[in-house]
Amino acid sequence: VSGLLDLSIAEAHRRLVDGEISSTELTQATIAQIERTESHVRAYATVTAAEALEAARVADDELSCGEARGVLHGIPVAVKDLAFTRGIPTEAGSEAMKGFVPAYDATVVTRLREGGAILVGKTTTSEFAFGQTLAGTRNAWHQDYTASGSSAGSGVVVALRSAFAAIGTDTAGSIRGPAGANGVTGLKPTFGLVSKYGVVPMSPSLDHVGVLARTAADCADALSVVAGFDPLDPLSLEVEPPDLRVPDEPDLSGMRIGLERTHLVEPGVDPVALASAEAAAHALEQLGATVVDVAVPELDLAAAAVVTIKTVESSAYHRDRLKRDWARYGQNARLILEAGLLMPGTDYARAQQARTLVKRGLRDAFERDRLDALLGPAYGPPTLEGGSGAPFTYPMRSSAVNLAGMPSITIPCGFTDTGLPLGGFDLYGRPLGEATLVRVAHAYELAHPWHERTPPIADA
Amino acid sequence: MENQIDSASVRTLARALDVELPEEDVAQLVEAMRRYAEVVAALDAAELDDVEPYASLDPRVGW
């Protein structure tokens, strides 16, 4: 890996502003890294090398005139191929959108461009973000393993240093899964903090746009650029984006973190996921935090509520297109959509009631135990390629944070004996509590710098 | 519940709802609907009598 690509976003920004490096150098190094690794992992749906180099030239001109537009100015980033990009194909991983070239940018892309970020490409997604596996895109650390989904490409390219940060979306774990599977950090912000305008929807009441990057500090820097009210998105929150600057010292004294060992654990998930969460809790205690055991039994309803709401909402969105064009949908996506069309409306209404209970249970846990964050297991190490990926077979309980709209972050926490990421652990925060999550995650990453390891093919 | 979901019932339901099902999907859709029934059993068992019918999408509401 070029040393340039190992820089944090903050350090790359400092060097760009000071004129020690140029955006053109960073972008050339990133494109070279894509060329070196892409055939192994197929994590980019589209690479925009020529446009990126031109944007880098403009950024260099601006920076040389002292016109720094923000922390991502001149920094190469990638965007999941669900977000509209003006003049660049946006196909959502589906034959049904093959060849579609939007006439406008999604707001999240506009914010990146206005912030001077360099878009190097669009990252792969499972079809319309359905499912938690994505055939074709391979894990950054071992190409026989899944990269998870649906923001698989975003997780892989960040791990391989072929983008400094990548935009992902998360309806039921689709940022956190690929972050864990590829050993990077994934931040799903509070519902409505990042605009969804121009992003192909899956389930409008559960969809979140967020970021994946190597560290919590990098996620915070990227999120600070894309967050904020957008009048074009009716579900956008009219709030000032949180201040996400991280402290230099990893002291967590005075913080209270709840550990949920029971109701976030699902059958079929590798037991190492819970062991990783417990080890992380111990590590956070050593950094000064107080860890308390909590139980949120309402989480037992989360999977049923999420499956019902997201399936019905996505089926409603796709209904007309599916009727016209069913043969252009892959069978897995089609089965989910057909199932949604057959689900009773009463299930959907009861799922909304269950959503209230889940949200209330989480709120009560935070209030009762005076928590700053809740810690739970992630999905565990990546699995071998070739699993069924059949509808309604994957873990859903941690999607409680999608039901409640709470922020969450997945943090890398080590590797298996065979060199695969352990899958990380999850922290959940109060609504608009991103700063707290980033502070805790940053403290952990300073003490346990797993993010400094690079996948073998990144160095080949 | 599981026993009630078979190819015939899925076809009948689809016809009633004007949903066109490609024949090649029917067998796997039956499996998908059975899995869905297992997952959603938690909702069936939940006591929701006194719970508000809608949840606010503003995550700050209720905190």
Coordinates of all heavy atoms in Angstrom, one line a residue, chain A residues 191-264:
Chain A
F191 N -31.7 8.4 12.4 CA -32.6 8.4 11.3 C -32.9 9.9 10.9 O -33.2 10.7 11.8 CB -34.0 7.8 11.7 CG -35.0 7.7 10.6 CD1 -34.9 6.7 9.6 CD2 -36.0 8.6 10.5 CE1 -35.8 6.6 8.6 CE2 -36.9 8.5 9.5 CZ -36.8 7.5 8.5
G192 N -32.7 10.2 9.7 CA -33.0 11.6 9.2 C -31.8 12.5 9.3 O -31.9 13.7 8.8
L193 N -30.7 12.1 9.9 CA -29.5 13.0 10.0 C -28.8 13.2 8.6 O -28.3 14.3 8.4 CB -28.6 12.5 11.0 CG -27.4 13.4 11.4 CD1 -27.9 14.7 12.0 CD2 -26.4 12.8 12.4
V194 N -28.8 12.2 7.8 CA -28.3 12.3 6.5 C -29.5 12.1 5.5 O -30.2 11.1 5.6 CB -27.2 11.2 6.2 CG1 -26.7 11.3 4.8 CG2 -26.1 11.3 7.2
S195 N -29.5 13.0 4.5 CA -30.7 13.0 3.6 C -30.7 11.7 2.8 O -29.7 11.2 2.3 CB -30.5 14.2 2.6 OG -31.5 14.1 1.6
K196 N -31.9 11.2 2.5 CA -32.1 10.1 1.6 C -32.6 10.5 0.2 O -32.9 9.6 -0.6 CB -33.1 9.1 2.2 CG -32.7 8.5 3.5 CD -33.5 7.3 3.9 CE -34.9 7.7 4.4 NZ -34.9 8.3 5.8
Y197 N -32.7 11.8 0.0 CA -33.1 12.3 -1.3 C -32.2 11.8 -2.4 O -31.0 12.0 -2.3 CB -33.2 13.8 -1.4 CG -33.6 14.3 -2.7 CD1 -34.9 14.2 -3.1 CD2 -32.7 14.9 -3.5 CE1 -35.3 14.7 -4.4 CE2 -33.0 15.4 -4.8 CZ -34.3 15.3 -5.2 OH -34.7 15.8 -6.4
G198 N -32.8 11.1 -3.4 CA -31.9 10.6 -4.5 C -31.3 9.2 -4.2 O -30.5 8.8 -5.1
V199 N -31.6 8.6 -3.1 CA -31.1 7.3 -2.9 C -32.2 6.3 -3.1 O -33.3 6.5 -2.5 CB -30.6 7.2 -1.4 CG1 -30.1 5.8 -1.1 CG2 -29.5 8.2 -1.2
V200 N -32.0 5.3 -3.9 CA -33.0 4.3 -4.2 C -33.5 3.7 -2.9 O -32.7 3.1 -2.1 CB -32.5 3.2 -5.1 CG1 -33.6 2.1 -5.4 CG2 -32.0 3.7 -6.4
P201 N -34.8 3.8 -2.6 CA -35.3 3.4 -1.3 C -35.5 1.9 -1.2 O -35.6 1.2 -2.2 CB -36.7 4.1 -1.1 CG -37.1 4.3 -2.5 CD -35.9 4.5 -3.4
M202 N -35.4 1.4 0.0 CA -35.8 0.0 0.2 C -37.0 0.0 1.1 O -38.0 -0.5 0.7 CB -34.6 -0.8 0.9 CG -35.0 -2.2 1.2 SD -33.6 -3.0 2.1 CE -34.1 -4.7 1.9
S203 N -36.9 0.6 2.3 CA -38.0 0.7 3.2 C -37.9 2.1 3.9 O -37.1 2.3 4.8 CB -37.8 -0.4 4.3 OG -38.7 -0.3 5.3
P204 N -38.7 3.0 3.4 CA -38.4 4.4 3.7 C -38.5 4.7 5.2 O -37.8 5.7 5.6 CB -39.6 5.1 3.0 CG -39.9 4.3 1.8 CD -39.7 2.8 2.3
S205 N -39.2 3.9 6.0 CA -39.2 4.3 7.4 C -38.1 3.6 8.2 O -37.9 3.9 9.4 CB -40.6 3.9 8.0 OG -40.6 2.5 8.3
L206 N -37.3 2.8 7.5 CA -36.1 2.1 8.2 C -34.8 2.5 7.5 O -33.7 2.2 8.1 CB -36.3 0.6 8.1 CG -37.5 0.0 8.8 CD1 -37.6 -1.5 8.5 CD2 -37.3 0.1 10.3
D207 N -34.8 3.1 6.3 CA -33.6 3.3 5.6 C -32.7 4.5 6.3 O -33.3 5.5 6.7 CB -33.9 3.8 4.2 CG -34.5 2.7 3.3 OD1 -34.4 1.5 3.6 OD2 -35.0 3.1 2.2
H208 N -31.5 4.2 6.4 CA -30.5 5.2 6.9 C -29.3 5.3 5.9 O -28.9 4.3 5.4 CB -29.9 4.8 8.2 CG -30.9 4.7 9.3 ND1 -31.9 3.9 9.4 CD2 -30.9 5.4 10.5 CE1 -32.6 4.0 10.5 NE2 -32.0 5.0 11.2
V209 N -28.9 6.5 5.6 CA -27.6 6.7 4.9 C -26.5 7.0 5.8 O -26.7 7.8 6.8 CB -27.8 7.8 3.9 CG1 -26.5 8.1 3.1 CG2 -28.9 7.5 2.9
G210 N -25.4 6.3 5.7 CA -24.3 6.5 6.6 C -22.9 6.3 6.0 O -22.8 6.3 4.7
V211 N -21.9 6.0 6.8 CA -20.6 6.0 6.3 C -19.8 4.8 6.8 O -20.0 4.3 7.9 CB -19.8 7.3 6.6 CG1 -20.4 8.5 6.0 CG2 -19.7 7.5 8.1
L212 N -18.8 4.3 6.0 CA -17.9 3.3 6.4 C -16.5 3.9 6.2 O -16.3 4.6 5.1 CB -18.0 2.0 5.6 CG -19.4 1.3 5.7 CD1 -20.3 1.7 4.6 CD2 -19.1 -0.2 5.7
A213 N -15.6 3.7 7.1 CA -14.2 4.2 7.0 C -13.3 3.4 7.9 O -13.8 2.5 8.6 CB -14.2 5.7 7.4
R214 N -12.0 3.6 7.9 CA -11.2 2.8 8.6 C -11.3 3.0 10.1 O -11.1 2.0 10.9 CB -9.7 3.0 8.2 CG -9.4 2.3 6.9 CD -8.1 2.7 6.3 NE -7.0 2.7 7.4 CZ -6.1 3.6 7.4 NH1 -5.9 4.5 6.5 NH2 -5.2 3.6 8.4
T215 N -11.6 4.2 10.6 CA -11.7 4.4 12.0 C -12.9 5.2 12.3 O -13.6 5.8 11.4 CB -10.5 5.2 12.5 OG1 -10.5 6.5 11.8 CG2 -9.2 4.5 12.2
A216 N -13.2 5.3 13.6 CA -14.4 6.1 14.0 C -14.1 7.6 13.7 O -15.0 8.3 13.4 CB -14.6 6.0 15.5
A217 N -12.9 8.0 13.9 CA -12.5 9.5 13.6 C -12.8 9.7 12.1 O -13.3 10.8 11.7 CB -11.1 9.8 14.0
D218 N -12.4 8.8 11.3 CA -12.6 9.0 9.8 C -14.1 9.0 9.5 O -14.6 9.8 8.7 CB -11.9 7.9 9.0 CG -10.4 8.1 8.8 OD1 -9.9 9.2 9.3 OD2 -9.8 7.3 8.2
C219 N -14.8 8.1 10.2 CA -16.3 8.1 10.0 C -16.9 9.5 10.4 O -17.8 10.0 9.7 CB -17.0 7.0 10.8 SG -16.8 5.3 10.1
A220 N -16.4 10.0 11.5 CA -16.9 11.2 12.0 C -16.6 12.4 11.0 O -17.5 13.2 10.7 CB -16.3 11.6 13.4
D221 N -15.4 12.4 10.5 CA -15.1 13.4 9.5 C -16.0 13.3 8.2 O -16.5 14.3 7.7 CB -13.6 13.3 9.1 CG -12.7 13.9 10.1 OD1 -13.1 14.8 10.9 OD2 -11.5 13.4 10.2
A222 N -16.2 12.1 7.8 CA -17.0 11.9 6.6 C -18.5 12.3 6.9 O -19.2 13.0 6.1 CB -16.9 10.5 6.1
L223 N -19.0 11.9 8.1 CA -20.3 12.2 8.4 C -20.6 13.7 8.6 O -21.6 14.2 8.2 CB -20.7 11.4 9.7 CG -22.2 11.6 10.2 CD1 -23.1 11.1 9.2 CD2 -22.4 11.0 11.6
S224 N -19.6 14.4 9.1 CA -19.7 15.8 9.3 C -19.9 16.5 8.0 O -20.5 17.6 7.9 CB -18.5 16.4 10.0 OG -17.4 16.4 9.2
V225 N -19.5 15.9 6.9 CA -19.7 16.6 5.6 C -21.0 16.3 5.0 O -21.7 17.2 4.4 CB -18.6 16.1 4.6 CG1 -18.8 16.6 3.2 CG2 -17.2 16.5 5.1
V226 N -21.6 15.1 5.2 CA -22.8 14.7 4.5 C -24.1 14.9 5.4 O -25.2 14.9 4.9 CB -22.8 13.3 4.0 CG1 -21.7 13.1 3.0 CG2 -22.6 12.3 5.2
A227 N -23.9 15.1 6.7 CA -25.0 15.3 7.6 C -25.7 16.7 7.5 O -25.0 17.6 7.1 CB -24.6 15.0 9.1
G228 N -26.9 16.7 7.8 CA -27.6 18.0 7.9 C -29.0 18.0 7.2 O -29.2 17.2 6.4
F229 N -29.8 19.0 7.6 CA -31.2 19.1 7.1 C -31.2 19.2 5.6 O -30.4 20.0 5.0 CB -31.9 20.2 7.8 CG -33.2 20.5 7.3 CD1 -34.2 19.5 7.5 CD2 -33.6 21.6 6.6 CE1 -35.5 19.7 7.0 CE2 -34.9 21.8 6.2 CZ -35.8 20.9 6.3
D230 N -32.2 18.6 5.0 CA -32.4 18.7 3.6 C -33.9 18.8 3.3 O -34.6 17.9 3.5 CB -31.8 17.4 2.9 CG -32.1 17.4 1.4 OD1 -32.4 18.5 0.8 OD2 -32.0 16.4 0.7
P231 N -34.3 20.0 2.8 CA -35.7 20.2 2.6 C -36.3 19.2 1.5 O -37.5 19.1 1.4 CB -35.8 21.6 2.2 CG -34.5 22.0 1.7 CD -33.5 21.2 2.5
L232 N -35.4 18.6 0.7 CA -35.9 17.7 -0.3 C -36.3 16.3 0.2 O -36.9 15.5 -0.5 CB -34.8 17.5 -1.4 CG -34.4 18.8 -2.2 CD1 -33.2 18.5 -3.1 CD2 -35.6 19.3 -3.0
D233 N -35.9 16.1 1.5 CA -36.2 14.8 2.1 C -37.2 15.0 3.2 O -36.9 15.6 4.2 CB -34.9 14.2 2.7 CG -35.2 12.9 3.4 OD1 -36.3 12.4 3.5 OD2 -34.2 12.3 3.9
P234 N -38.5 14.5 3.0 CA -39.5 14.8 4.0 C -39.2 14.2 5.4 O -39.8 14.6 6.3 CB -40.8 14.2 3.4 CG -40.3 13.3 2.3 CD -39.0 13.8 1.9
L235 N -38.3 13.3 5.4 CA -38.0 12.6 6.7 C -36.6 13.2 7.3 O -36.1 12.6 8.3 CB -37.9 11.1 6.5 CG -39.2 10.4 6.1 CD1 -39.0 9.0 5.8 CD2 -40.2 10.6 7.3
S236 N -36.1 14.2 6.7 CA -34.9 14.8 7.2 C -35.1 15.5 8.5 O -36.1 16.2 8.6 CB -34.3 15.8 6.1 OG -33.1 16.4 6.5
L237 N -34.2 15.4 9.4 CA -34.3 16.1 10.7 C -33.8 17.5 10.6 O -32.7 17.7 10.1 CB -33.5 15.3 11.8 CG -34.0 14.0 12.4 CD1 -33.1 13.6 13.5 CD2 -35.4 14.2 12.9
E238 N -34.6 18.4 11.1 CA -34.2 19.8 11.1 C -33.4 20.1 12.3 O -33.9 20.7 13.3 CB -35.5 20.7 10.9 CG -35.1 22.1 10.4 CD -36.3 22.8 9.8 OE1 -37.4 22.2 9.8 OE2 -36.2 24.0 9.5
V239 N -32.2 19.7 12.3 CA -31.3 19.9 13.5 C -29.9 20.3 13.0 O -29.5 20.0 11.8 CB -31.1 18.6 14.3 CG1 -32.4 18.3 15.0 CG2 -30.6 17.5 13.5
E240 N -29.1 20.9 13.8 CA -27.7 21.2 13.5 C -27.0 19.8 13.6 O -27.2 19.1 14.6 CB -27.1 22.1 14.5 CG -27.6 23.6 14.4 CD -27.1 24.1 13.0 OE1 -26.0 24.0 12.7 OE2 -28.0 24.7 12.3
P241 N -26.1 19.5 12.7 CA -25.4 18.3 12.8 C -24.5 18.3 14.1 O -24.1 19.3 14.5 CB -24.5 18.3 11.6 CG -25.1 19.2 10.6 CD -25.8 20.2 11.4
P242 N -24.4 17.1 14.7 CA -23.6 17.1 16.0 C -22.1 17.4 15.7 O -21.6 17.2 14.6 CB -23.8 15.7 16.5 CG -24.2 14.9 15.3 CD -24.9 15.8 14.3
D243 N -21.5 17.9 16.8 CA -20.0 18.2 16.7 C -19.3 16.9 17.0 O -19.4 16.3 18.0 CB -19.7 19.2 17.8 CG -18.2 19.5 17.8 OD1 -17.4 18.9 17.1 OD2 -17.8 20.5 18.5
L244 N -18.6 16.4 16.0 CA -18.1 15.0 16.0 C -16.5 15.0 16.2 O -15.9 14.0 16.0 CB -18.5 14.3 14.8 CG -20.0 14.0 14.6 CD1 -20.2 13.4 13.3 CD2 -20.5 13.1 15.7
R245 N -16.0 16.1 16.6 CA -14.5 16.1 16.8 C -14.2 15.2 18.0 O -14.9 15.2 19.0 CB -14.0 17.5 17.1 CG -13.9 18.4 15.9 CD -13.6 19.8 16.3 NE -14.8 20.4 17.0 CZ -14.9 21.7 17.3 NH1 -13.9 22.5 17.1 NH2 -15.9 22.1 18.0
V246 N -13.1 14.4 17.8 CA -12.7 13.4 18.8 C -11.6 14.0 19.7 O -10.7 14.8 19.3 CB -12.2 12.1 18.2 CG1 -13.3 11.4 17.5 CG2 -11.1 12.4 17.2
P247 N -11.7 13.7 21.0 CA -10.6 14.1 21.9 C -9.3 13.3 21.7 O -9.3 12.2 21.1 CB -11.2 13.8 23.3 CG -12.2 12.7 23.1 CD -12.7 12.9 21.7
D248 N -8.2 13.9 22.1 CA -6.9 13.2 21.9 C -6.7 12.1 22.9 O -6.0 11.1 22.6 CB -5.8 14.2 22.0 CG -5.8 15.2 20.9 OD1 -6.3 14.9 19.8 OD2 -5.3 16.4 21.1
E249 N -7.3 12.3 24.1 CA -7.1 11.3 25.1 C -8.2 10.3 25.2 O -9.4 10.6 25.2 CB -7.0 12.0 26.5 CG -5.7 12.8 26.6 CD -4.5 12.0 26.5 OE1 -4.4 10.9 27.1 OE2 -3.5 12.5 25.8
P250 N -7.9 9.0 25.3 CA -8.9 7.9 25.3 C -9.5 7.7 26.6 O -9.7 6.5 27.0 CB -8.1 6.7 24.7 CG -6.8 6.9 25.2 CD -6.5 8.4 25.3
D251 N -9.8 8.7 27.4 CA -10.3 8.5 28.8 C -11.8 8.5 28.8 O -12.5 9.4 28.3 CB -9.8 9.6 29.7 CG -10.3 9.5 31.1 OD1 -10.8 8.4 31.4 OD2 -10.2 10.5 31.9
L252 N -12.4 7.4 29.2 CA -13.8 7.2 29.2 C -14.4 7.3 30.6 O -15.5 6.9 30.9 CB -14.2 5.9 28.6 CG -13.8 5.7 27.1 CD1 -14.3 4.4 26.6 CD2 -14.4 6.8 26.3
S253 N -13.7 7.9 31.6 CA -14.1 8.0 32.9 C -15.5 8.7 33.0 O -15.7 9.7 32.3 CB -13.2 8.8 33.8 OG -11.9 8.2 33.8
G254 N -16.4 8.2 33.8 CA -17.7 8.8 33.9 C -18.7 8.3 32.9 O -19.9 8.6 33.1
M255 N -18.3 7.6 31.9 CA -19.3 7.1 31.0 C -19.9 5.7 31.4 O -19.2 4.9 32.0 CB -18.6 6.9 29.6 CG -18.0 8.1 29.0 SD -17.9 8.1 27.3 CE -19.5 8.4 26.8
R256 N -21.1 5.6 31.2 CA -21.8 4.3 31.5 C -22.3 3.6 30.3 O -23.0 4.2 29.4 CB -23.0 4.6 32.4 CG -22.6 5.1 33.8 CD -23.9 5.4 34.6 NE -24.8 4.3 34.8 CZ -24.7 3.4 35.8 NH1 -23.6 3.4 36.6 NH2 -25.6 2.5 35.9
I257 N -21.9 2.4 30.2 CA -22.2 1.6 29.0 C -22.9 0.3 29.4 O -22.4 -0.4 30.2 CB -20.9 1.3 28.2 CG1 -20.3 2.6 27.7 CG2 -21.1 0.3 27.0 CD1 -18.9 2.5 27.1
G258 N -24.0 0.1 28.8 CA -24.8 -1.1 29.1 C -24.4 -2.2 28.2 O -24.1 -2.0 27.0
L259 N -24.3 -3.4 28.7 CA -24.0 -4.6 27.9 C -25.2 -5.5 27.8 O -25.7 -6.0 28.8 CB -22.8 -5.4 28.5 CG -22.4 -6.7 27.9 CD1 -22.0 -6.5 26.4 CD2 -21.3 -7.4 28.7
E260 N -25.7 -5.7 26.6 CA -26.9 -6.6 26.4 C -26.4 -8.0 25.9 O -25.9 -8.1 24.8 CB -27.7 -5.9 25.3 CG -29.2 -6.1 25.3 CD -29.9 -7.3 25.9 OE1 -29.3 -8.4 26.0 OE2 -31.0 -7.1 26.4
R261 N -26.4 -9.0 26.8 CA -25.9 -10.3 26.4 C -26.9 -11.3 26.0 O -26.6 -12.4 25.6 CB -25.2 -10.9 27.7 CG -24.1 -10.2 28.3 CD -23.7 -11.0 29.6 NE -23.0 -10.1 30.5 CZ -21.7 -10.2 30.7 NH1 -21.0 -11.0 30.0 NH2 -21.1 -9.4 31.6
T262 N -28.2 -10.9 26.1 CA -29.2 -11.9 25.9 C -30.1 -11.7 24.7 O -30.2 -12.5 23.7 CB -30.1 -12.0 27.1 OG1 -29.3 -12.2 28.3 CG2 -31.1 -13.1 27.0
H263 N -30.7 -10.5 24.6 CA -31.8 -10.3 23.7 C -31.3 -9.8 22.3 O -32.1 -9.5 21.4 CB -32.8 -9.3 24.2 CG -33.4 -9.9 25.5 ND1 -34.4 -10.9 25.5 CD2 -33.2 -9.6 26.8 CE1 -34.7 -11.2 26.8 NE2 -34.0 -10.4 27.6
L264 N -30.0 -9.6 22.2 CA -29.4 -9.3 20.9 C -28.7 -10.5 20.2 O -28.2 -10.4 19.1 CB -28.4 -8.1 21.0 CG -29.0 -6.7 21.2 CD1 -27.9 -5.7 21.6 CD2 -29.7 -6.2 20.0

